[in-house]
Amino acid sequence: MRVRAITGFFFIIVMLASVLINAAVFTGFYLILSAFCLHEFYKLVKQSGTQPNISAGLINGVFIFALFAAQAYLSGYKLLLLLPVTLSAIFIQELFKKATAPFNNIAYSYLGLIFTIIPFTFFHALAFVSGSFNFHLPLGFLLLLWANDTGAYLVGSKLGRVKLFERHSPKKTWEGFIGGILITAGVALILGHYYGEYSWKQWVSVGILISTFGTMGDLVESMFKRSINVKDSGGILPGHGGLLDRFDGLLLAAPIVYAYLYFISNA
C-alpha cells in the first residue's frame, strides 16, 4: 500500500508538470508517453502468440503523433500525406518474416496505433482546440478522469451491489458508476467556475462524457487483458500496473471529448 501511495503521488506530480510547464514540454511528454503505451500494447500482444511489427509500428506511432501535433504549431496538412508511405512499411516488413499468420501480425500492428496513439493525439489536440495552447482543457480532463476513478472506487466499495459488467470487470458496480458520474459532475462545476472558456453546463457535459466513456475504456482494456490472460498491462508503475492500466479511461474518452469541444468551439 505504501509503494502504491508513493508511486501515485509522483505520478500525479509528473502528470501535472507535463501540462503546466509549457507547450513544448506538453507535446514532447505525450509523444514519449504514447510511444511507451504502444510498446506496452505490443508486448502484451506477443504473449498471446502474435508477432506484431514492433519496429515499424513504433516508428509509425511516433510519426503519426508528431505529424498531428505539428498541426498545432504549423499551418497546412501536406505533411500528413506522408502517412500512407510510412504505414505501408508494416505490410512490407511482414513480407520478409516467415510468419504462419502474417495478417494477424499486421492487424495487431495497426490496432496498436488505433488503440494507443490516436487517443493521445486527440488528448494533445485538446490543448489547442481554441487555436493556441491552453492548459485548462487537458488539465481539466485529467482532473475529471481522476475524479471519476476515485468516485467510482469510493462509492462502489461502500455501496456497490449490482454488477456493471461482471464478465469483464467483476468489481465494477452500477452504484460505483453512478457515484463516479456525480462526483465528476461536482468537480466539473468547480472547473466551470474557474475556467471560463466554457460554461458550467458544458464542463458538466464534458465530465459526464469522461465518466461514461472513461469507464468504457476501462472495460475495453479489461476485456483485452482477459483475452490474453494477464492481470496488469505492465509493471512500470509499482503498485499500479502498467501505463495502459493508468490511461485506459483516456483511450476512449479523449476523442469523444475533443469532438464535443471542437463542435462547440466552431458552432
Side-chain angles (χ1 to χ4, degrees), residues 6 106 144 173 227 244:
I6 293 173
I106 293 170
L144 293 172
T173 63
S227 72
L244 291 177

Side-chain angles (χ1 to χ4, degrees), residues 26 46 65 79 91 95 99 109 146 167 169 188 191 211 220 223 246 250:
F26 176 73
K46 288 188 69 175
F65 188 98
L79 288 176
F91 286 94
L95 290 173
S109 299
W146 296 338
R167 181 157 54 94
S169 186
L191 289 174
S211 291
V220 167
M223 177 176 65
R246 292 302 91 208
L250 179 148

Side-chain angles (χ1 to χ4, degrees), residues 238-267:
H240 289 264
L243 291 172
L244 291 177
D245 293 323
R246 292 302 91 208
F247 293 99
D248 50 10
L250 179 148
L251 300 179
L252 289 187
I256 300 296
V257 170
Y258 176 82
Y260 171 72
L261 293 176
Y262 178 83
F263 286 117
I264 285 178
S265 299
N266 294 277

